[in-house]
Amino acid sequence: MANESLARSTPYLAVDLGVLDRNVEAMAKLARDRGVSLRPHVKTHKCREIATRQTGAGAVGITVATTSEAEIFADAGFRDVFIAYPLWVDAARGARLRSLGERCALRIGVDSSEAVAALARNTSGRGDVEVLIEVDCGHHRTGVVPEAAGELAVAAARAGLGVRGVFTFPGHSYNPGGAERAAADEARALGQAAASFQSAGMECDVVSGGSTPTARFAAAGPINEIRPGSYVFNDAQQLELGTCAAGDIALTAVATVVSRSAGKVVLDAGGKVLGADRPAWATGYGRLADYPQARVCALSEHHATVEWPSSLALPELGAVLGVVPNHCCAAVNLADELLVVVDGAASVVWTVLARGANG
Amino acid sequence: MANESLARSTPYLAVDLGVLDRNVEAMAKLARDRGVSLRPHVKTHKCREIATRQTGAGAVGITVATTSEAEIFADAGFRDVFIAYPLWVDAARGARLRSLGERCALRIGVDSSEAVAALARNTSGRGDVEVLIEVDCGHHRTGVVPEAAGELAVAAARAGLGVRGVFTFPGHSYNPGGAERAAADEARALGQAAASFQSAGMECDVVSGGSTPTARFAAAGPINEIRPGSYVFNDAQQLELGTCAAGDIALTAVATVVSRSAGKVVLDAGGKVLGADRPAWATGYGRLADYPQARVCALSEHHATVEWPSSLALPELGAVLGVVPNHCCAAVNLADELLVVVDGAASVVWTVLARGANG
C-alpha cells in the first residue's frame, strides 16, 4: 500500500474508493427501485475503471458527449453507447460513426431535420445508426419543442435511420431549489414527446432523462431511462444544491498551503486543477473537505485563495488540505490521472482515459 | 500543406502563426525600447516551439508557474528558468529542485520566512538555488508588503540561499481601465521593495514585474524585467481590456454550429475546450472571431450558446466558426495540441508539452 510510485506532489486529484462505490451502488439501487434503466454519463469521470463499476452495478450502457469519447470507450470494450449530443455529421465524422457502429450498439442525438439528413447522408442511412430525438424541457439549450419530436422522428425514419425514442437534459435543475420543478418539466416534456411519436405513428422505446439533481425525482411515468453523471463523485455544486451530503463527496483536489495572510490562506490548486466553473448561486470556487465554513473566494490559474473561518486557527504553511471542486466533470478533465485512496491509503492510479476527448 | 494528417474534427484549437510571430516580436521590441529584460511566462502556451521563438526574439529566459513546468522546459533545453510562485518545498520537491538546479539556472519565488527555511532545509541551502522575494503590489493574493522585502532577503541569505531580487504580479490590472493604475502600483511597490533591500544591506539585481495588460506602461524606473504571458495569443479578456486589437488574436477554437433557434446558435466548443473563466466585467464566455457583435452568452461542458446579432442572418447548421476564448492560458491547458495555420492553411501541429503540468 505504501507504494513509493504512488507518491505525488500537490496538487493532484484523489478519489475515495469507498465513497465512490457507495455512490455507484446507490444510484443503481435508485434506478432499480424506480424501474428505470440507468445509462450513466461517463463524461464525468472518463475512466474505464469507473464505467466498469457502473455497468457491473447494472447500468444498461453508457452515455458520452462526443464522438471521441465513444471511440475510446468502445475501444475499452463498452458495447452500448449513446452520444447524447446533437452531432453535426460531415463525411469524416460519418466514417467514424460507421466504424463505431460496427463495434458497439450506437445511438446518437438529433434535434433538426438538417442534422438528420446529414447523418443519413454520411452514414449511408444505415438502420444500425440509431437516433434519439432531443427535446427541450426548459433548459433552452438544444432540442426541439416536445410536440415536434414525432415529426422529426418520421423524417429520421424516412431518411433510413433507426429511431429509438426521445431524450432531454433538464439543465435548469442546476439552481437551488429548482430540481423538483425541473424534474416535473422533464417528465412532462418527455411525456409530450412520446405522445407526439404515437400521433405520428412512430414507436418510442426509449424515454431518457438526465442529471444528477433530478434523478431522485424520477418516478414511474413516461421516463424509462436516466443518465446522471456527477453522482459518482459529487462536488461543491451538488452539495450546495442539496443533492448530496458532505460524506458523499468522493473527489478532492489535494493541495498545499503556500502562503498566508490575515484570515486567508493560498493553496497551490488553482483553476487549472479545480476548473473555473462558478455558477452565480455558488458560495465560492470550491469548498474545503474538512472545513465546512471555509470558502475558495478567489481563483487564479495556480492559486486558490481561501477565506478561513475566523473561529479557527489558520492552517500552517505546508499543510495539505482537500479541496472539493465546484464541478467534478471540469476538474477531472484537467487531470491525466486520479489517485485512488482506500481507507485513507493511496492504492492505485486510474488513467483519465478520455481526458480532452472533445472531437 | 493540404496534409490529410492535419485534418481535425471540431472542436480544436488553431494558432495563426503570422499573428503569433508578430505578437512575439512586438513584445520583444517593447522590452528593447524600454530597456527592460523580457522573461515571458510560458504557462500561457506550454509549447517548446513558442518558447523557442520568444528566446530567439531576445527573451533572457522563461517564467513558469510550477515545478513540473520547469522540469519539462529544462528537459526541452531551456537553461534559465524562474518559477514565479511561492513554492512550499518539502523533501521530495527539494530533490526535484536540486536536480533542476543542475540542469538550468533556477530562480524560485518566496514570500515567507517559513518557506525560506523549508527551501533551504530541503535544498541543503545551496547558493545555486536562487530566490526572488515576492511582493504584493495591490492584487492581494501572495507576496509580502514591499517594505518587508529586505528583511526576508536577509533571512534567505542567512539560510544560505542566493538572493537575486524582487518580483510582483499586478493581477489587479485585469479590470477595465485598471491597467495604468496597476502598472503605477507595480512600479511603486517594486521601487519600495528594492529600497528596502538597500536599507537591509542587500543587493537587488532583478526587479521583475508582470502581466500583459501592464507591459505597455513599463518604463524606465525600478523595473528591469517583465514577465507577460498572454500576449503571444491574446484572447477575449485582452480584447475587452483594450490590451490588444481583434487583429492581434492568434488563438481560436474552431467549432461547428450543431443547433439553432431564434437569435442564437449552439457550437460544439464548450467549457472543456474554451475554459470556463468569466470575469464579472466580461461581456460573455468568449467572442466570435469574425462576428464582433456576437457573444457566447451561455457555456456548458460541450456547448457554447451564442447570441447572434439580429442584423445578421443566422449561420447554417454545420457552419464552422472561430471562437476566441476568454482566457487563452486556460483554453490551451485543455488541449493536447495546437493546429498551426499559415496564410489560412493548416501547416503543422504543436504539442502542448506542459499541458496539465501542475505538480
Side-chain angles (χ1 to χ4, degrees):
Chain A
M1 282 291 182
N3 186 334
E4 197 159 311
S5 74
L6 297 177
R8 292 286 178 279
S9 288
T10 63
Y12 60 87
L13 294 184
V15 172
D16 185 313
L17 186 59
V19 178
L20 176 90
D21 280 340
R22 206 169 64 219
N23 293 342
V24 166
E25 177 49 34
M27 188 61 80
K29 180 176 187 307
L30 184 150
R32 285 194 304 273
D33 289 350
R34 307 293 169 91
V36 297
S37 298
L38 175 61
R39 182 183 288 275
H41 210 313
V42 302
K43 72 173 180 183
T44 298
H45 54 73
K46 295 173 174 274
C47 288
R48 190 186 54 218
E49 294 84 351
I50 300 177
T52 300
R53 282 173 153 74
Q54 292 173 307
T55 52
V60 297
I62 61 171
T63 304
V64 300
T66 69
T67 310
S68 51
E69 281 183 349
E71 289 167 336
I72 289 166
F73 278 92
D75 288 347
F78 293 86
R79 291 284 162 263
D80 192 334
V81 179
F82 173 36
I83 307 178
Y85 195 87
L87 294 180
W88 181 260
V89 179
D90 59 11
R93 199 177 299 276
R96 295 168 64 194
L97 294 175
R98 285 201 307 277
S99 166
L100 265 172
E102 286 162 11
R103 287 180 282 157
C104 65
L106 182 66
R107 297 171 186 173
I108 299 163
V110 289
D111 81 344
S112 68
S113 55
E114 295 94 328
V116 160
L119 174 61
R121 186 165 61 242
N122 290 303
T123 58
S124 318
R126 291 156 50 121
D128 57 355
V129 174
E130 297 184 326
V131 298
L132 268 70
I133 310 296
E134 182 172 4
V135 301
D136 176 15
C137 69
H139 184 39
H140 305 320
R141 185 177 66 184
T142 47
V144 298
V145 295
E147 298 76 7
E151 186 185 345
L152 187 53
V154 169
R158 285 192 182 141
L161 299 167
V163 180
R164 290 302 301 275
V166 293
F167 78 106
T168 195
F169 172 64
H172 54 316
S173 63
Y174 279 79
N175 275 302
E180 187 164 8
R181 189 177 59 76
D185 291 345
E186 177 183 25
R188 185 170 52 245
L190 287 173
Q192 291 168 334
S196 85
F197 265 54
Q198 202 166 22
S199 304
M202 295 290 297
E203 277 189 49
C204 188
D205 292 346
V206 178
V207 182
S208 179
S211 110
T212 292
T214 57
R216 69 184 188 277
F217 301 107
I223 296 173
N224 60 23
E225 177 182 284
I226 58 174
R227 308 184 318 278
S230 297
Y231 74 95
V232 293
F233 296 133
N234 290 308
D235 53 28
Q237 281 194 141
Q238 301 296 342
L239 182 69
E240 297 194 350
L241 288 170
T243 309
C244 75
D248 303 326
I249 293 171
L251 181 82
T252 49
V254 182
T256 298
V257 176
V258 295
S259 189
R260 311 194 308 170
S261 55
K264 62 179 201 188
V265 297
V266 176
L267 306 176
D268 63 358
K272 282 179 173 172
V273 172
L274 300 173
D277 292 46
R278 183 181 174 171
W281 46 262
T283 64
Y285 290 95
R287 303 281 291 247
L288 276 279
D290 297 323
Y291 300 91
Q293 292 179 283
R295 289 295 180 280
V296 179
C297 61
L299 197 67
S300 326
E301 287 167 63
H302 298 280
H303 307 71
T305 303
V306 182
E307 258 174 24
W308 205 256
S310 55
S311 57
L312 299 176
L314 277 187
E316 297 294 317
L317 283 163
V320 174
L321 302 174
V323 185
V324 180
N326 267 355
H327 186 188
C328 56
C329 309
V332 169
N333 184 52
L334 289 160
D336 293 313
E337 58 179 39
L338 305 177
L339 185 72
V340 180
V341 174
V342 178
D343 296 333
S347 168
V348 68
V349 167
W350 288 344
T351 299
V352 183
L353 198 63
R355 197 218 74 73
N358 296 303
Chain B
M1 284 290 184
N3 185 334
E4 198 158 310
S5 74
L6 297 177
R8 291 287 178 279
S9 288
T10 63
Y12 60 87
L13 294 184
V15 173
D16 185 313
L17 186 59
V19 178
L20 176 90
D21 279 340
R22 207 169 63 218
N23 293 343
V24 166
E25 177 48 33
M27 188 62 79
K29 180 175 186 310
L30 184 149
R32 284 194 305 272
D33 289 351
R34 306 295 169 91
V36 297
S37 298
L38 175 61
R39 182 183 289 276
H41 210 313
V42 302
K43 71 174 180 181
T44 298
H45 55 73
K46 295 171 174 277
C47 288
R48 190 186 52 219
E49 294 84 350
I50 300 177
T52 300
R53 281 174 153 73
Q54 292 173 306
T55 51
V60 297
I62 61 172
T63 304
V64 301
T66 69
T67 310
S68 51
E69 281 183 349
E71 289 166 337
I72 289 166
F73 278 92
D75 287 348
F78 292 85
R79 291 284 161 261
D80 191 337
V81 178
F82 172 37
I83 307 178
Y85 194 86
L87 295 179
W88 181 261
V89 179
D90 59 11
R93 200 177 299 275
R96 295 167 64 194
L97 294 176
R98 284 200 306 275
S99 166
L100 265 172
E102 288 162 9
R103 287 180 282 155
C104 64
L106 182 67
R107 298 172 185 173
I108 299 163
V110 290
D111 81 344
S112 68
S113 54
E114 295 93 328
V116 159
L119 174 61
R121 188 166 59 242
N122 290 304
T123 58
S124 317
R126 289 157 51 119
D128 56 356
V129 174
E130 297 183 327
V131 298
L132 268 70
I133 309 299
E134 182 173 4
V135 301
D136 176 16
C137 69
H139 185 38
H140 305 321
R141 185 177 67 183
T142 46
V144 298
V145 295
E147 297 76 7
E151 187 185 346
L152 187 53
V154 169
R158 284 193 183 142
L161 299 167
V163 180
R164 289 302 301 276
V166 293
F167 78 105
T168 194
F169 172 64
H172 55 316
S173 63
Y174 279 78
N175 275 301
E180 189 165 6
R181 190 178 60 77
D185 291 345
E186 179 184 24
R188 186 171 49 246
L190 287 172
Q192 291 169 336
S196 84
F197 266 53
Q198 202 167 21
S199 305
M202 295 290 297
E203 277 189 50
C204 188
D205 292 346
V206 178
V207 183
S208 178
S211 111
T212 292
T214 55
R216 68 183 189 279
F217 301 107
I223 296 174
N224 59 24
E225 176 182 285
I226 59 174
R227 307 185 319 277
S230 297
Y231 74 95
V232 293
F233 296 133
N234 290 308
D235 53 28
Q237 281 193 140
Q238 301 297 343
L239 182 69
E240 297 194 350
L241 288 170
T243 309
C244 75
D248 302 327
I249 293 171
L251 182 83
T252 50
V254 182
T256 298
V257 176
V258 295
S259 188
R260 310 194 308 169
S261 56
K264 62 179 199 185
V265 297
V266 176
L267 306 176
D268 63 359
K272 283 178 173 172
V273 172
L274 299 173
D277 292 46
R278 183 181 174 173
W281 47 261
T283 64
Y285 290 95
R287 303 282 292 247
L288 276 281
D290 297 323
Y291 301 91
Q293 291 178 284
R295 289 294 180 281
V296 179
C297 61
L299 196 68
S300 324
E301 287 167 63
H302 297 280
H303 307 71
T305 303
V306 182
E307 258 175 24
W308 205 256
S310 55
S311 57
L312 299 177
L314 277 186
E316 297 295 317
L317 283 162
V320 175
L321 303 173
V323 186
V324 180
N326 267 355
H327 187 187
C328 55
C329 309
V332 168
N333 185 51
L334 289 159
D336 293 313
E337 57 179 39
L338 306 177
L339 185 71
V340 180
V341 175
V342 178
D343 295 334
S347 166
V348 69
V349 167
W350 288 343
T351 300
V352 183
L353 198 63
R355 198 218 73 71
N358 295 303

